[in-house]
Amino acid sequence: MTHVSERSGAGSSPTGAGGDRQPWTAGTGRSPRKRSVSYADAGVSIEAGDRAVELLKSKVKQTRRPEVMGDLGGFAGLFRLDTTKYKNPILASSTDGVGTKLVIAQQMDIHDTVGIDLVAMVVDDLVACGAEPLFLLDYIATGEVVPDKVAEIGAGIADGCRYAGCALLGGETAEHPGVLRPDEYDISATGVGVVEESAILSSERVEVGDVVIAMRSSGLHSNGYSLVRHVLLGAGRMRLDVVIDDFGRQRTLGEELLTPTKIYAQDCLKLIAEAEVRALAHVTGGGIPGNLVRILPEHVDAVVNRATWKPQPIFDLIQSKGRIEDPEMEATFNMGVGMFAIVSAEDADRALATLTGRGVDAWQVGEIIEGTGEVQMVGQHTRG
């Protein structure tokens, strides 16, 4: 984060008796003010913002790549793109946030994991087209800058960038008194990556006979939390500190809901280098059918066999508590799969070995057949 500024606040205009606006005029007849008004009186603390930046500097330095120029704190982040590595480099960009998962973090007063979620949502969209994430810019808006809290959020973002192999190049922390509560915040980020033009992954590469490989999610990731909160914390009246036996390790509901989103970027880049990858689908809002369909040409279908995996217990809890139908679950949540890779049949075993060697839980979930550009969900998940 480069600096702190106000984007909206509790400002006021000069008024006369009864609240009527009075024009300002120069002259010597003005009544002197009893005391001057500061930015802090409006709810914005420059000092707190500077302190938050100082707390973050060591974490941000850990994300530095050789192409980064200058230090944190400038007006813009500088990144020297090494064009000698490419014949026709294409820049890719993505912007996203974390959504209402932040409400859970604020209720639990745990802020060092949502930054990982933020990075995952951005960089795994970038790698879906084959791009290597280069750098990320973040944005934090809060009702009151509490340096330690902002540093916790930023530390999570820095950790996510390290996992993804990209630089945290800069960003913005904005204090919005009167718009957000003092304990309330929202975060977003924009990432930039690069891919050789001839290596761009797209639906045009997908062929009949290709194999569909699934990569297990770490849980809910960062989608569907409005429904989760409605079902579990609203109508279900569950407490975030209740221990759920099915989660294991004496894990509470709140801890499960704050499980960070898995970052697949480096795993997918390695997969692309080792196997014939046709396309990648990052499973976010819209679930498996809504995201896998985005990488299918009109003349094929993707068959996904539910019987090849068992979703994590959190999905069963949400479905049973909310009495949610299967189609609604699959249209909202990832159901245990965070990323799909479509690879050539000849390279399927190599692809699985590559992912397994990197510690990714991956398996063959289906195949590409002739069709009309649809996702066919077949079979039933193992329960219990």
Side-chain angles (χ1 to χ4, degrees), residues 107-126:
Q107 289 175 339
M108 296 190 66
D109 197 24
I110 296 176
H111 313 286
D112 60 350
T113 61
V114 291
I116 299 174
D117 293 299
L118 178 63
V119 176
M121 298 301 285
V122 173
V123 300
D124 286 341
D125 275 356
L126 289 176

Side-chain angles (χ1 to χ4, degrees), residues 315-348:
F315 297 104
D316 286 335
L317 178 65
I318 294 167
Q319 185 165 18
S320 61
K321 283 286 186 180
R323 297 189 293 277
I324 303 172
E325 298 292 335
D326 288 344
E328 182 67 20
M329 289 292 296
E330 290 186 339
T332 305
F333 303 108
N334 65 58
M335 300 304 294
V337 178
M339 182 76 77
F340 284 102
I342 298 180
V343 304
S344 66
E346 296 77 13
D347 273 8

Side-chain angles (χ1 to χ4, degrees), residues 50 55 64 70 103 270 321-322 328 362:
D50 291 342
L55 290 173
R64 190 179 181 94
V103 176
K270 182 65 173 178
K321 283 286 186 180
E328 182 67 20

Side-chain angles (χ1 to χ4, degrees), residues 50-79:
D50 291 342
R51 174 60 178 158
V53 172
E54 286 299 318
L55 290 173
L56 272 173
K57 279 188 174 180
S58 63
K59 273 284 189 178
V60 174
K61 285 182 179 179
Q62 295 175 20
T63 74
R64 190 179 181 94
R65 290 175 51 124
E67 304 97 326
V68 174
M69 303 172 62
D71 295 321
L72 186 70
F75 287 99
L78 301 177
F79 191 96

Side-chain angles (χ1 to χ4, degrees), residues 133-209:
L134 296 177
F135 60 83
L136 183 136
L137 301 167
D138 64 23
Y139 180 82
I140 302 173
T142 181
E144 178 183 352
V145 170
V146 178
D148 288 341
K149 182 187 292 187
V150 172
E152 285 183 44
I153 299 168
I157 297 173
D159 285 341
C161 286
R162 285 195 299 108
Y163 303 153
C166 67
L168 180 52
L169 198 58
E172 174 81 355
T173 300
E175 196 163 25
H176 291 181
V179 177
L180 298 172
R181 297 190 308 271
D183 61 342
E184 190 177 9
Y185 61 85
D186 195 10
I187 59 178
S188 64
T190 296
V192 173
V194 63
V195 58
E196 183 65 57
E197 185 174 10
S198 62
I200 295 174
L201 302 181
S202 71
S203 61
E204 296 176 0
R205 293 172 172 254
V206 178
E207 301 176 359
V208 172

Side-chain angles (χ1 to χ4, degrees), residues 270-352:
K270 182 65 173 178
L271 179 63
I272 292 168
E274 296 292 332
E276 183 64 32
V277 178
R278 312 286 201 198
L280 293 169
H282 184 203
V283 184
T284 54
I288 291 173
N291 286 281
L292 192 52
V293 74
R294 297 164 68 179
I295 57 170
L296 297 180
E298 294 181 355
H299 65 281
V300 306
D301 283 359
V303 178
V304 174
N305 188 354
R306 301 184 187 93
T308 61
W309 85 96
K310 178 182 178 181
Q312 293 91 333
I314 184 63
F315 297 104
D316 286 335
L317 178 65
I318 294 167
Q319 185 165 18
S320 61
K321 283 286 186 180
R323 297 189 293 277
I324 303 172
E325 298 292 335
D326 288 344
E328 182 67 20
M329 289 292 296
E330 290 186 339
T332 305
F333 303 108
N334 65 58
M335 300 304 294
V337 178
M339 182 76 77
F340 284 102
I342 298 180
V343 304
S344 66
E346 296 77 13
D347 273 8
D349 289 341
R350 181 190 296 272
L352 288 170

